[in-house]
Amino acid sequence: TIRVNVYLVAIIAIGITLIVLYSFFIEPCQTRLKIVEIKNKAFASTFKDLKIVLLSDLHIGVNLSASAKRSLKIIHEIKPDLILLTGDFLEWKRTKQCYDNAIKYLSQLNASIGVYAVRGDADCFVSKISCELCRKEGSIFPPGNHQVKFLRNSQVFLENRGKKFAIMGITMGSKHFSGFSIANSMDNCIPYIILSHTSLVYHDIGTNNNVLILSGDTHGGQIYLPQLFWEIIKIKPDPEHMYGLYQDMNKVLYVTSGIGTSPNFPFRLGVPPEVVLFKFEE
């Protein structure tokens, strides 16, 4: 019996060790292409045949991570028509080198319709340098070293095969811009894509609006746990929507697991990093 117990303890110890090694050194590097299918007639009609890609939470540091490098490879293979980014380009212990690496990463993103982004909370604490992500130093004009257009409580109107749609970017922590509400600023005749680092805006949008809200921030929790767990501990602004696809009539939310990890918890288990490609069905 003692010998059996020793073997059992050894097997458990080896199992735990393998799980820890996997979660710290393997899964965080296993960036995958996640295909998300959304059923919405207005989206399907407007975005037909478009390759729309979502990226978030790169958390780029002094060195480009294996997961970030893999994300670029996936994007270059897809050749997307539209790339959307929902913030946290930088790691929390950011330096000028981190910003330079982030800008270099952004310079490698190209899409025929455009590349649009919002900043996350990790991008905004060194205001002078962080502004260099979205405009030239000492200037109000966009930088010349990448094609990413940052939306700060603003929207752009675009077309695909004669059908109009809009992309709106919500600043971190903001529920209103220019003195009027998000809902009142939307044209109900066209579909909207809303970029917001957190998913809180989902609660403010009516179910009749044809709107796709894209967010990140949570990293999907980095470890797969029941939804109830996140709702109890409430470590994120919107614990009801930690990861995945949510839909209420015409409004849709997708919260991505992102690419990077938290510096205090640099592991993933059951929630690998992802580049998201959307497909739309009626």
Side-chain angles (χ1 to χ4, degrees):
T1 302
I2 294 175
R3 182 176 296 177
V4 171
N5 289 340
V6 170
Y7 287 151
L8 181 60
V9 170
I11 290 171
I12 293 173
I14 291 171
I16 292 173
T17 300
L18 291 175
I19 290 172
V20 170
L21 291 174
Y22 173 82
S23 65
F24 274 85
F25 299 106
I26 298 179
E27 186 165 309
C29 303
Q30 300 297 306
T31 303
R32 62 176 177 171
L33 174 62
K34 176 72 176 292
I35 298 176
V36 175
E37 296 183 354
I38 296 175
K39 291 186 177 181
N40 178 292
K41 187 174 182 180
F43 294 159
S45 175
T46 304
F47 303 136
K48 184 179 180 180
D49 301 327
L50 284 188
K51 294 179 181 178
I52 300 177
V53 163
L54 168 64
L55 276 172
S56 191
D57 300 276
L58 288 152
H59 290 293
I60 294 171
V62 293
N63 295 300
L64 196 64
S65 67
S67 56
K69 291 178 181 176
R70 172 65 180 158
S71 70
L72 281 175
K73 182 178 179 181
I74 292 172
I75 289 170
H76 292 159
E77 290 174 351
I78 294 173
K79 295 181 175 61
D81 301 293
L82 182 63
I83 300 176
L84 305 170
L85 304 105
T86 53
D88 274 9
F89 301 95
L90 303 156
E91 69 174 11
W92 283 98
K93 296 179 180 179
R94 65 197 70 75
T95 64
K96 184 63 166 63
Q97 183 62 51
C98 298
Y99 280 93
D100 291 342
N101 290 343
I103 290 172
K104 184 177 179 180
Y105 182 98
L106 295 179
S107 71
Q108 299 178 71
L109 300 179
N110 298 284
S112 57
I113 293 179
V115 185
Y116 294 89
V118 291
R119 293 188 299 173
D121 47 343
D123 306 320
C124 302
F125 281 84
V126 186
S127 58
K128 183 179 183 299
I129 302 178
S130 65
C131 285
E132 294 177 18
L133 285 173
C134 41
R135 66 173 184 245
K136 293 179 182 178
E137 185 175 2
S139 168
I140 63 172
F141 298 103
N145 46 14
H146 65 71
Q147 297 183 18
V148 182
K149 299 177 180 68
F150 281 83
L151 301 175
R152 301 180 64 182
N153 292 335
S154 60
Q155 56 191 332
V156 294
F157 294 93
L158 304 169
E159 286 190 12
N160 178 45
R161 297 183 177 181
K163 294 190 175 182
K164 293 182 179 180
F165 66 97
I167 301 176
M168 179 187 294
I170 306 301
T171 297
M172 180 72 186
S174 175
K175 289 188 176 182
H176 297 78
F177 63 89
S178 302
F180 53 90
S181 70
I182 293 168
N184 289 339
S185 71
M186 296 173 63
D187 183 345
N188 292 331
C189 296
I190 63 174
Y192 266 73
I193 297 175
I194 295 181
L195 308 181
S196 177
H197 185 57
T198 71
S199 56
L200 284 171
V201 67
Y202 183 69
H203 300 278
D204 299 327
I205 303 298
T207 57
N208 291 324
N209 295 94
N210 288 298
V211 57
L212 171 59
I213 300 160
L214 304 178
S215 70
D217 182 52
T218 65
H219 305 174
Q222 293 189 194
I223 183 169
Y224 182 78
L225 291 168
Q227 180 69 40
L228 181 61
F229 174 84
W230 302 116
E231 293 178 11
I232 291 173
I233 65 170
K234 298 181 179 179
I235 62 171
K236 286 295 181 179
D238 187 13
E240 296 177 16
H241 304 104
M242 283 294 292
Y243 171 67
L245 183 66
Y246 306 85
Q247 185 163 358
D248 187 0
M249 294 181 64
N250 292 335
K251 72 170 181 176
V252 183
L253 166 68
Y254 188 79
V255 183
T256 177
S257 65
I259 300 297
T261 60
S262 166
N264 297 322
F265 304 98
F267 61 83
R268 286 179 178 268
L269 186 60
V271 192
E274 64 183 24
V275 174
V276 182
L277 175 64
F278 293 102
K279 291 191 174 181
F280 302 93
E281 298 179 355
E282 293 189 8

